[in-house]
Amino acid sequence: MLRAAVKQGTPLGRKAKDQMDKGELLGDDLIMEMVAERLQESDVRARGFVLDGCPRTVAQAEQLAAILTPYDLDLVIDLEVHTSQVLRRLAARRVCVDCGANYSTSSPPLINWTCDVCGGEVIQREDDTEEAISRRLELYEHQTAPLIEWYRARKQLETVAGTGTPDTVTRRMVKVIEERRNRGIGFA
Ligand SMILES: [Zn+2]
């Protein structure tokens, strides 16, 4: 969503890029304005949606709840990964500048840092430097971690270990979703 706005150079996109280049989390209003716009499109109504990395603050979560009224989120998944592993993953992460596909130094694209999906250039993000990463982790502790209690209190939270291969983590998430659905919670 962000990438599309940044690439198109929309007013929201330009503001977002400026803040991301500094390693800052985006302002709540900016993020939620983009989310509100996207959630109005017809595919959301037909198929539902997954938000990845949003909301990141309690203020965003409150705005999201207001946007979704009279509906609500079926489930919030907290992927738990130890900080030392987060640091290793971020330092090794490489992304496609065009489509945003993720790679790492240990699983690069097939051909010389050219994206397998779209042929775009695969690079290290400007905000994946050591300094910007420490700043993001600090912001996470102060601004995002409180969301865990916020969603737990609303009985929307499930915690899943984010360690292991992508397939392993995916299987864990599917299991949690199925169990919750079988218990008839959410998923109207
Ligand atoms: Zn690509």
Side-chain angles (χ1 to χ4, degrees):
M1 217 188 295
L2 273 174
R3 214 160 36 236
V6 169
K7 202 171 174 184
Q8 288 160 21
T10 64
L12 286 176
R14 283 202 303 274
K15 252 196 250 176
K17 181 170 176 7
D18 207 48
Q19 293 180 21
M20 285 189 293
D21 286 349
K22 291 182 205 152
E24 288 171 9
L25 291 184
L26 300 180
D28 293 331
D29 292 343
L30 181 67
I31 286 284
M32 298 319 293
E33 224 175 305
M34 284 190 203
V35 170
E37 244 175 44
R38 183 63 185 85
L39 291 181
Q40 278 164 13
E41 288 177 35
S42 58
D43 58 338
V44 171
R45 214 158 276 253
R47 300 171 55 202
F49 61 92
V50 174
L51 294 174
D52 175 6
C54 172
R56 286 193 180 180
T57 65
V58 169
Q60 286 180 13
E62 284 165 352
Q63 287 186 44
L64 180 62
I67 290 167
L68 293 176
T69 303
Y71 303 101
D72 204 350
L73 298 174
D74 291 316
L75 174 62
V76 175
I77 296 181
D78 173 31
L79 281 174
E80 266 192 346
V81 181
H82 195 273
T83 304
S84 60
Q85 192 170 358
V86 170
L87 289 172
R88 276 201 301 278
R89 284 184 184 177
L90 288 175
R93 178 163 72 163
R94 300 294 182 272
V95 294
C96 170
V97 290
D98 289 329
C99 74
N102 271 269
Y103 300 92
S104 75
T105 50
S106 57
S107 74
L110 294 173
I111 303 160
N112 198 26
W113 300 107
T114 300
C115 179
D116 294 339
V117 180
C118 78
E121 189 190 358
V122 175
I123 59 152
Q124 182 163 33
R125 272 167 47 159
E126 282 172 47
D127 60 348
D128 278 348
T129 62
E130 206 174 310
E131 199 188 331
I133 289 169
S134 329
R135 176 149 169 69
R136 287 218 302 283
L137 288 177
E138 239 171 74
L139 286 171
Y140 173 83
E141 284 304 326
H142 287 111
Q143 301 188 354
T144 306
L147 277 177
I148 294 172
E149 283 313 315
W150 200 84
Y151 279 120
R152 184 173 287 140
R154 281 158 187 75
K155 305 195 188 313
Q156 289 174 303
L157 188 82
E158 296 283 353
T159 299
V160 170
T163 48
T165 65
D167 282 350
T168 305
V169 178
T170 302
R171 272 196 296 275
R172 284 185 200 130
M173 287 199 288
V174 169
K175 192 167 165 242
V176 159
I177 292 165
E178 293 298 337
E179 281 172 2
R180 205 176 166 89
R181 177 181 275 158
N182 290 340
R183 281 185 282 139
I185 304 169
F187 303 100

